[in-house]
Amino acid sequence: MLSYFSRTERLIATLLVAIVLVYIGWRAISSPEQAMQFGFNGLSVGAIYALMAIGFTLVYSTVWFFDLYYGAAAALGAYSVFYLRSQEWLGGQYQVNTPVVNIILAMVVAGVAAWVIHTAFYGRLREKVDPTVLRIVGGAVAMAIGAYTGLVLTFPSHLHVTFGPVAAVVIGIAAMWGIKYLFDRVSGGRGLQAGLVIGVLVGWALAVSLSLVFVMSPGSKLYLSWAVSCLLAGTVGLALYRGLYVRMRQRSRSPLIMLVASLGILLALTACISIVFQSAPRPLPDPFGSVPWTIGGANIKGFNFFAIGVAIVGFLALFSVLKWTSFGRAVRAIGDDEEVARVVGINTTVIVAIVFFVGTAFAAMAGILSGHDTAIQPRMGLLLLLKGWIASVVGGIGNLYGAILGGFVLGLIEQFAIWDLAGEWKDVVAFGLLILFLSFWPQGLLPRK
């Protein structure tokens, strides 16, 4: 009986795939220009789904529960860009920048900074320095970071001056450590000092040059607001993990309770966004590449190429970190067995906090790219969350390869499915695809090993 059902399932799967391929092939032959248009639209939308699925997969495969704040992070990323740019872009007609929001976000950033400083330095220095002095200094630094965040948010029209140099320094430091790591890998540890010297020189030159470019280019404010938005969404995600999820995981150990708690956070933040920004859809400023090109009869935007590139580069960067760094090994160990990882000396709280930060930053970037393509609305995060989850299931839940594959597959199937239907059918097709995969291929296209 089992073999009969297995053969039946394989037959149904083969027929479904054959029907889809025949339909797409027939449509592509009958109208190649339109097929190119739908194909490109599918890839550009699929890139957003892939970003959602990548971050979702990273978090889920580490802590093994569905964090629904992830959807709110996407909306928070998009609305943060609107918050920082609307006053200047709309000529002061939409006054959304309020001191209350700035103070709340500054306090959240200060609290997270205090925890990071305490975790990074307190255990190492408490034997050498008076603990009271460490707390005072750490608190002062955290308060300074929070005050700086409030300054950036209060004066968004000067973002290229207040945040541009800081972003340039961070990029320079990242370049320095990246060069040092590459030299270490290539030379087997023998070229460490040379790599450090070259990395410092390149990083310093990059930081100085980018600082000048940002300060002298007011047009960079929109793209700097992307970085600020991702950092804010990631910081809020880290604060929720550290302030709420850790305690709940220690007390309940129930994925259902964690799911309900994160659902409450999603709904609460969605309501807050509606209160601050109102529920009407809002457009984001036009980024670069908004003027479409005509290629092969299809209208293609350069910004959509950029979105596809962001998804691919984000996947490659995260894959490299997880595969070839000690942090990646720690993440995989926690995903396999958190208790054993803790026993062997891995600081699971810190590693999982970084995972939450990175995952929600991916979600925020997906929300930003989606917001530049279509109007933003408070409930956009829920739909993007569901599409990211569907993409994860299609690709293979818990598998990073499957996340990016599932995102692009979902985007393409959605677009080609509405060739002869109204656009409102996209969601029906997406959830129908979810049901099919849960019924016949629950492990997805690339099952997690």
Side-chain angles (χ1 to χ4, degrees):
M1 182 67 69
L2 181 62
S3 61
Y4 169 76
F5 282 113
S6 298
R7 288 196 300 271
T8 303
E9 289 177 1
R10 286 197 295 270
L11 178 60
I12 293 173
T14 303
L15 288 174
L16 287 173
V17 172
I19 291 171
V20 170
L21 292 178
V22 168
Y23 173 77
I24 294 175
W26 169 62
R27 275 303 194 178
I29 293 172
S30 61
S31 180
E33 296 85 1
Q34 206 168 359
M36 179 178 290
Q37 184 70 66
F38 277 107
F40 178 75
N41 291 345
L43 290 176
S44 59
V45 173
I48 296 171
Y49 297 161
L51 282 172
M52 290 294 295
I54 289 169
F56 177 84
T57 298
L58 174 65
V59 175
Y60 178 76
S61 62
T62 305
V63 295
W64 297 107
F65 83 88
F66 294 106
D67 180 21
L68 300 185
Y69 162 72
Y70 198 68
L76 185 60
Y79 272 97
S80 295
V81 175
F82 185 81
Y83 187 83
L84 292 168
R85 304 277 21 101
S86 62
Q87 185 174 0
E88 178 180 308
W89 175 53
L90 298 176
Q93 298 177 4
Y94 192 81
Q95 302 292 336
V96 68
N97 197 292
T98 60
V100 175
V101 175
N102 297 339
I103 292 172
I104 292 173
L105 290 174
M107 291 175 63
V108 171
V109 172
V112 170
W115 176 76
V116 171
I117 292 170
H118 181 273
T119 304
F121 299 106
Y122 184 77
R124 301 177 184 179
L125 300 177
R126 63 181 177 180
E127 300 296 335
K128 303 176 182 178
V129 183
D130 185 0
T132 304
V133 174
L134 287 176
R135 292 191 182 95
I136 293 174
V137 173
V141 173
M143 291 178 63
I145 295 173
Y148 168 73
T149 302
L151 176 69
V152 170
L153 296 175
T154 304
F155 300 101
S157 59
H158 298 86
L159 195 64
H160 60 303
V161 177
T162 57
F163 183 71
V166 175
V169 170
V170 172
I171 294 172
I173 293 174
M176 179 190 71
W177 285 108
I179 292 172
K180 174 181 172 294
Y181 178 77
L182 287 176
F183 267 82
D184 186 29
R185 293 281 298 182
V186 172
S187 65
R190 293 186 296 272
L192 189 61
Q193 189 166 359
L196 181 60
V197 172
I198 295 175
V200 169
L201 293 175
V202 173
W204 179 83
L206 190 60
V208 172
S209 59
L210 284 179
S211 296
L212 294 174
V213 169
F214 288 144
V215 171
M216 298 175 65
S217 303
S220 64
K221 286 181 286 189
L222 174 60
Y223 311 110
L224 289 172
S225 70
W226 294 358
V228 174
S229 300
C230 291
L231 290 173
L232 286 176
T235 301
V236 173
L238 198 158
L240 288 172
Y241 165 73
R242 190 60 205 133
L244 179 63
Y245 293 159
V246 168
R247 298 177 184 274
M248 295 187 68
R249 293 181 74 201
Q250 290 173 347
R251 293 180 181 180
S252 67
R253 294 287 180 181
S254 172
L256 179 60
I257 293 177
M258 302 292 294
L259 178 67
V260 173
S262 63
L263 175 62
I265 292 169
L266 170 63
L267 297 177
L269 288 177
T270 301
C272 290
I273 290 173
S274 298
I275 293 170
V276 174
F277 298 96
Q278 303 174 8
S279 58
R282 304 285 181 186
L284 291 184
D286 289 334
F288 68 92
S290 297
V291 179
W293 307 327
T294 302
I295 301 176
N299 293 322
I300 297 174
K301 292 182 180 180
F303 181 76
N304 295 130
F305 274 117
F306 171 76
I308 296 171
V310 168
I312 295 173
V313 171
F315 164 76
L316 293 175
L318 186 59
F319 171 78
S320 301
V321 170
L322 293 178
K323 187 170 181 63
W324 291 309
T325 66
S326 57
F327 170 77
R329 290 190 290 272
V331 170
R332 294 198 303 273
I334 294 172
D336 291 337
D337 194 316
E338 186 173 353
E339 294 296 333
V340 173
R342 189 179 294 112
V343 168
V344 299
I346 296 175
N347 192 333
T348 56
T349 301
V350 172
I351 298 298
V352 174
I354 297 173
V355 165
F356 269 83
F357 180 87
V358 174
T360 49
F362 268 86
M365 194 65 207
I368 292 169
L369 296 176
S370 176
H372 280 294
D373 202 34
T374 58
I376 61 175
Q377 53 184 333
R379 297 186 182 276
M380 64 179 288
L382 177 59
L383 184 59
L384 284 176
L385 170 68
L386 294 174
K387 293 298 180 69
W389 183 56
I390 294 172
S392 299
V393 172
V394 170
I397 194 163
N399 187 341
L400 203 61
Y401 298 101
I404 189 168
L405 176 63
F408 285 117
V409 168
L410 176 61
L412 288 169
I413 290 177
E414 271 191 358
Q415 291 298 316
F416 277 102
I418 62 170
W419 194 315
D420 294 314
L421 301 172
E424 290 78 7
W425 281 87
K426 284 194 300 184
D427 295 339
V428 176
V429 171
F431 290 107
L433 186 67
L434 172 65
I435 293 171
L436 286 175
F437 268 83
L438 290 178
S439 300
F440 299 107
W441 311 282
Q443 294 183 333
L445 298 174
L446 299 175
R448 177 185 170 93
K449 297 180 180 180

